[in-house]
Amino acid sequence: MIKNYFKTAWRNLRKNRMFTTLNVIGLALGLTGFMLIAGYVLDELSYDRFHAHADRIVRANTHIKIGESKLEMARTSDMMGPVLHDEYPEVEAFARLYNSSGSKLMKKGDRWINEARVAHVDSTFFRLFSYQALQGDLAHALDAPNSVVLTRSAAKRYFNAVDVVGKTLETDDAGSTVYQVTGVIEDMPRNSHFNYDFLFSMENAEYGDWGAFLSHNFTTYLLLRSAADRPVLEEHLAHYVQKYCLPAAKQFMELSSMEEFRKQGNVFYYDVTPITDIHLHSNLMGELSPNGSMQYVYIFGAVSAFILLIACINFMNLSTARSANRAKDVGVRKILGSSRAGVAGQFLAESLLLAFGATLIAVGIVILVTPLFNELSGKAFRASDFLTIKTLPLIILLALFVGILAGYYPAAYLSRFNPLGALKSRAIVSSGKSPLRSGLVVFQFATSIVLIVGTLIVTAQLRYIQHKKLGYDRENMVVIGDFNVLGNQAKAFREEILKLPGVKAATISGYLPVSSSSRSDNSFSSESVMSATNSVSMQTWRVDDQYLPTFGLELVSGRNFSAARPADSAAVILNETAAKHFGYGNDAIGKKIYFTFGGDVQSYDIIGVVKDFNFESLRDPVTPLGFFLANHPAQAAFKVETANLPTLLSRMEDTWNKMAPGFPFSYQFLDDAFDNMYRTERRVGQLSLAFAGMAIVIACLGLFGLAAFMAEQRTKEIGIRKVLGASVTGLIRLLSFDFLKLVGIAIILAIPVAWWAMSQWLEDFAYRIEIKWWMFAAAGLVAVLIALLTVSGQAIRAALTNPVDSLRDE
């Protein structure tokens, strides 16, 4: 019986090739979108779950709020890990990671290479984290100073082999440090919140404030004895603050107790984040890489479900649109003794055949578009990832699910025909305006309109970010990295470059107004004795006297630093927010701020106030910032003209090679670093546009199906109207109006949903656009035009039909 079902189904599908093609295309597109988005969502959810102890690993975070200034960091002091391990039994082990330098120069042959994927870690690192060992004993690989573990890629890059344990690698640490390779691991999986090629011994970390409980420069991971111990640990973290951080804080400020500190509206506490939650649920200062967002997982998960549902709706509409053609077939089968279940089984067989055919095509499309999808999403999927032993059963189940979901309603609908009425082709004359089918089309277009509005708003927000005046000049700014390798020739290099035609200004500093740059925060006070009421936590940037003019920062009062004034080494320039937080406002010039450490108090004269500028992502408000005249030659920024940029960059590189032979000349444009801060949003915009287009195309197929269905059911009505004198234009208007009503209802339903969803998304940005009425109007207009273009062909065809043909069988 089943074999006969599929044999007959194949015959019917071949006979009705247009119907089959439309259904297969619709289902294939829906399945393609579903598979791609499902791959994206599952990949986002898989981060850091490959570690054997993933359920027991947590990362410690710091939360500080003093007055109006606030710091939330994914970092802690170097002391936290050892103290928690020694004093609290729920902590089985700890491992710290230190990478504040951001990169390291390594020697290969006679040239130096800048490597960014480097970190110093504790010897216990491999006790917490699970990586495949290729060479060496990972349990003890980092016990000794001057040891390093490489990944497979790093080992091949430097030694052209994997068996490299015992070989040495020279770095620029402390001028020059030679490390011995003590282990090699497989490349770290891509779905990790950190990814390094070089893991150096913590014993060699260049850090000057070891033992400072309030200096937060380390990423600290803790292995709990049980996942259930997390609440216990967080209770003990409060005890840790009281026992260790309070005495440390008393070196800086007058403070009797943490209760007093909190009563004054301040906050200081630690909490922990499970490692499996970091990628999607954490967005703190000092994250080791740009994280994703659970919000986007929810959004794209819903989009994938809606796209698949829209494709199934198309199948229902296209199947019922052919109902009159199948009515006689149903009638004959029932007259010959077929039961309703038997007829329904026949239609389900056709649905399953179509679903499996569409699934095969969808898999092929997914494989073909994987490179494009990777470019849009920032993923690194391989085509084979979508077709493995693990995914094959899921794909088969997906085809079965779609086949049954899409075919159930048509099978139930068509199998209920009265055999005598079906033989007279009157079985469904009254169902041309089925509320269910109309509702399905409204759902399709409402979903499409929400996606269109979302795409418009994401695009508008990104455009706003690109064109917002940030308070500094980021255009045509060339940033040269690893500037410290020039040593005492750094200033000479700057002067040489300033002589080149097209170079307008230059500054030497590692602190740049983009979030990927160096950062340092400290607490200062408006009085010589710091207290919880007069202290301000602010960014402290070490810059030269050319920093402000190079970046075009505007002084609202006071003056810039001067290299000719030695006293400026004890001066500070605040931004407006810092001046406000200290209580000085516009009257800050001549006032002092104080920094206390270990009982020593250093005062700084305020000589200038710069207009606030956005030095972090526009998701965050401007925070207090102070500029200090000091040497920090990690990078240099050059303001240039772009008239002959390739020649200028070539001459800059020539000068570099003369002064720093063997060291790589690495540069980037500040614009590119700025754009990287919004890489996730840009990808979301690109994916939204792609899948909005896919949803619209699929919805149009559904609308085409309903147009064909309604035109078929109203054939005789149209014929009678033409006989009675109706014009072709009037008939086209009559047929189109029914569909425009459905689109109008979809617009009304979609607008509040789209407004709410995008308002929630924009809440993540401190600086954001306003949602305008024209965005909804534009999305509605697009939907109306698409609907008109889709149904006009069917409407014109029906209106031009000869009424004699329409009424022949009456």
Side-chain angles (χ1 to χ4, degrees):
M1 178 66 74
I2 294 176
K3 179 180 179 182
N4 183 62
Y5 280 163
F6 283 101
K7 183 176 180 181
T8 306
W10 176 249
R11 188 184 303 123
N12 285 327
L13 293 175
R14 288 186 60 189
K15 181 180 178 182
N16 301 280
R17 292 182 180 178
M18 181 179 177
F19 158 81
T20 303
T21 301
L22 288 173
N23 258 331
V24 168
I25 291 173
L27 283 176
L29 287 176
L31 286 164
T32 298
F34 180 83
M35 289 180 186
L36 289 173
I37 302 177
Y40 174 91
V41 168
L42 291 174
D43 185 73
E44 289 288 288
L45 293 172
S46 71
Y47 269 66
D48 296 302
R49 297 184 184 276
F50 57 87
H51 298 294
H53 305 305
D55 62 324
R56 296 193 285 133
I57 302 173
V58 297
R59 184 193 67 193
N61 312 307
T62 304
H63 302 269
I64 302 173
K65 180 179 179 294
I66 302 176
E68 296 182 30
S69 57
K70 184 178 180 181
L71 284 173
E72 294 188 311
M73 299 175 284
R75 292 180 178 175
T76 70
S77 73
D78 63 302
M79 298 298 293
M80 174 178 272
V83 169
L84 293 181
H85 175 254
D86 291 343
E87 299 194 12
Y88 302 109
E90 65 271 17
V91 179
E92 181 179 320
F94 74 93
R96 297 165 301 175
L97 187 150
Y98 180 73
N99 72 331
S100 66
S101 61
S103 64
K104 201 183 289 286
L105 287 169
M106 301 185 197
K107 199 167 189 179
K108 182 180 180 180
D110 59 352
R111 64 189 180 95
W112 291 85
I113 299 174
N114 182 37
E115 295 287 357
R117 293 166 61 173
V118 300
H120 289 266
V121 298
D122 281 311
S123 60
T124 54
F125 183 82
F126 294 106
R127 183 174 176 186
L128 273 71
F129 301 106
S130 307
Y131 297 105
Q132 181 183 349
L134 301 179
Q135 293 288 325
D137 178 11
L138 297 185
H140 302 285
L142 296 172
D143 287 351
N146 296 76
S147 55
V148 61
V149 172
L150 311 181
T151 63
R152 176 194 290 270
S153 295
K156 287 193 171 182
R157 191 157 66 246
Y158 280 82
F159 303 104
N160 199 31
V162 174
D163 186 9
V164 296
V165 170
K167 295 190 177 181
T168 58
L169 189 64
E170 184 179 355
T171 75
D172 67 333
D173 289 359
S176 177
T177 302
V178 176
Y179 289 87
Q180 184 178 46
V181 179
T182 54
V184 179
I185 60 173
E186 190 59 79
D187 289 348
M188 292 186 177
R190 176 180 48 81
N191 54 340
S192 170
H193 77 283
F194 61 75
N195 200 310
Y196 295 105
D197 279 337
F198 303 84
L199 298 172
F200 294 90
S201 169
M202 184 64 79
E203 299 294 328
N204 295 90
E206 297 178 1
Y207 179 67
D209 293 327
W210 291 85
F213 280 96
L214 298 181
S215 182
H216 299 90
N217 292 281
F218 289 76
T219 307
T220 302
Y221 298 94
L222 307 169
L223 177 64
L224 304 181
R225 296 192 184 278
S226 167
D229 286 334
R230 184 154 60 97
V232 177
L233 173 63
E234 292 194 328
E235 288 181 11
H236 284 157
L237 287 174
H239 178 262
Y240 169 87
V241 170
Q242 187 74 27
K243 184 176 180 180
Y244 294 102
C245 299
L246 178 60
K250 288 180 178 179
Q251 300 180 47
F252 301 91
M253 64 176 66
E254 286 188 339
L255 192 64
S256 60
S257 67
M258 292 306 298
E259 287 73 20
E260 175 198 347
F261 182 78
R262 295 189 183 98
K263 283 179 181 178
Q264 294 168 345
N266 303 310
V267 170
F268 182 18
Y269 70 93
Y270 297 100
D271 64 8
V272 295
T273 301
I275 190 175
T276 53
D277 287 351
I278 290 174
H279 179 66
L280 292 176
H281 297 277
S282 181
N283 185 28
L284 305 177
M285 183 185 297
E287 297 285 355
L288 297 179
S289 64
N291 286 332
S293 169
M294 196 66 197
Q295 183 185 47
Y296 295 142
V297 170
Y298 289 140
I299 290 171
F300 285 121
V303 168
S304 68
F306 284 141
I307 285 179
L308 187 61
L309 191 55
I310 288 172
C312 293
I313 288 170
N314 284 355
F315 186 93
M316 300 177 194
N317 283 338
L318 288 169
S319 296
T320 53
R322 296 178 59 249
S323 56
N325 297 333
R326 302 298 300 273
K328 290 184 175 62
D329 179 24
V330 173
V332 169
R333 285 177 175 273
K334 286 194 169 184
I335 291 294
L336 294 176
S338 290
S339 64
R340 181 176 177 181
V343 175
Q346 177 62 58
F347 287 111
L348 275 176
E350 290 184 21
S351 173
L352 288 169
L353 266 182
L354 282 171
F356 275 97
T359 302
L360 289 175
I361 294 172
V363 169
I365 296 174
V366 166
I367 291 172
L368 287 175
V369 302
T370 293
L372 176 61
F373 182 71
N374 286 340
E375 186 176 338
L376 292 176
S377 65
K379 297 296 183 184
F381 292 125
R382 296 169 298 177
S384 58
D385 292 339
F386 293 96
L387 192 62
T388 65
I389 298 298
K390 292 182 179 179
T391 61
L392 189 58
L394 296 177
I395 292 173
I396 293 172
L397 286 174
L398 178 64
L400 283 170
F401 172 77
V402 170
I404 294 171
L405 177 66
Y408 175 78
Y409 172 70
Y413 172 74
L414 295 171
S415 64
R416 75 181 182 186
F417 291 169
N418 180 279
L420 294 178
L423 291 173
K424 294 181 180 180
S425 295
R426 294 189 185 130
I428 52 170
V429 169
S430 64
S431 61
K433 296 182 180 180
S434 165
L436 176 61
R437 275 192 299 279
S438 297
L440 293 177
V441 171
V442 168
F443 172 81
Q444 288 179 309
F445 269 84
T447 302
S448 300
I449 291 164
V450 169
L451 289 173
I452 294 170
V453 171
T455 302
L456 287 174
I457 291 176
V458 170
T459 303
Q461 175 67 13
L462 290 174
R463 188 180 297 114
Y464 169 79
I465 289 169
Q466 289 289 338
H467 295 93
K468 184 183 183 299
K469 292 184 178 180
L470 302 172
Y472 69 92
D473 192 355
R474 62 184 171 87
E475 296 181 354
N476 304 326
M477 196 74 69
V478 178
V479 178
I480 297 179
D482 300 314
F483 213 71
N484 54 319
V485 303
L486 290 167
N488 56 15
Q489 294 192 87
K491 290 184 179 180
F493 177 86
R494 181 184 66 181
E495 297 307 315
E496 286 297 314
I497 298 302
L498 282 171
K499 294 176 184 177
L500 298 177
V503 180
K504 298 180 178 180
T507 180
I508 301 174
S509 175
Y511 296 90
L512 302 177
V514 287
S515 60
S516 58
S517 182
S518 295
R519 291 292 181 264
S520 177
D521 58 90
N522 286 288
S523 291
F524 293 78
S525 61
S526 56
E527 299 174 19
S528 58
V529 178
M530 183 181 290
S531 69
T533 56
N534 65 22
S535 62
V536 174
S537 181
M538 72 175 186
Q539 285 289 311
T540 56
W541 291 12
R542 289 173 283 168
V543 302
D544 62 14
D545 60 329
Q546 296 302 307
Y547 192 95
L548 271 62
T550 299
F551 283 104
L553 298 177
E554 180 183 344
L555 278 164
V556 295
S557 61
R559 63 175 177 85
N560 186 22
F561 296 116
S562 172
R565 297 190 183 192
D568 279 2
S569 61
V572 62
I573 297 175
L574 303 178
N575 68 352
E576 290 176 301
T577 297
K580 176 184 174 184
H581 284 200
F582 280 113
Y584 298 143
N586 297 327
D587 192 28
I589 305 305
K591 301 290 198 311
K592 293 180 181 290
I593 63 172
Y594 301 87
F595 177 70
T596 305
F597 183 77
D600 296 329
V601 180
Q602 173 71 50
S603 66
Y604 294 90
D605 295 310
I606 302 173
I607 63 170
V609 176
V610 298
K611 188 173 183 179
D612 277 345
F613 64 100
N614 295 95
F615 54 88
E616 297 290 357
S617 164
L618 291 179
R619 301 182 195 91
D620 307 313
V622 175
T623 57
L625 167 66
F627 294 106
F628 297 83
L629 185 63
N631 187 35
H632 191 264
Q635 293 176 304
F638 296 86
K639 179 68 176 175
V640 302
E641 294 177 349
T642 57
N644 196 1
L645 193 56
T647 301
L648 177 58
L649 290 172
S650 177
R651 295 186 67 178
M652 292 172 76
E653 185 173 7
D654 289 342
T655 305
W656 175 274
N657 290 335
K658 290 177 184 176
M659 293 189 172
F663 290 94
F665 175 72
S666 61
Y667 72 90
Q668 68 170 333
F669 289 95
L670 193 63
D671 265 343
D672 294 334
F674 176 82
D675 289 341
N676 283 337
M677 291 195 292
Y678 307 99
R679 183 172 51 193
T680 299
E681 283 72 25
R682 191 166 59 252
R683 287 170 178 167
V684 167
Q686 293 170 339
L687 287 173
S688 297
L689 180 61
F691 290 115
M694 180 177 287
I696 290 168
V697 170
I698 298 171
C700 286
L701 288 174
L703 194 60
F704 180 87
L706 188 59
F709 175 81
M710 293 184 69
E712 182 178 316
Q713 296 311 304
R714 301 180 72 174
T715 299
K716 293 179 177 61
E717 176 192 344
I718 293 168
I720 293 171
R721 286 179 179 274
K722 291 191 73 173
V723 168
L724 295 177
S727 66
V728 171
T729 304
L731 290 171
I732 294 173
R733 189 184 305 115
L734 173 70
L735 293 171
S736 300
F737 181 72
D738 289 333
F739 300 107
L740 292 181
K741 282 195 302 184
L742 299 179
V743 176
I745 294 170
I747 293 171
I748 293 171
L749 295 176
I751 285 175
V753 174
W755 179 86
W756 174 83
M758 297 317 297
S759 296
Q760 294 294 112
W761 181 75
L762 287 171
E763 283 295 321
D764 286 344
F765 294 87
Y767 302 89
R768 53 185 178 267
I769 61 169
E770 293 183 8
I771 299 178
K772 304 289 187 180
W773 66 268
W774 64 263
M775 297 174 177
F776 302 102
L781 181 61
V782 168
V784 168
L785 290 175
I786 288 172
L788 279 174
L789 289 172
T790 303
V791 304
S792 59
Q794 289 293 325
I796 292 170
R797 180 182 176 187
L800 294 176
T801 302
N802 189 328
V804 174
D805 296 331
S806 304
L807 302 172
R808 179 173 295 166
D809 62 346
E810 292 297 320

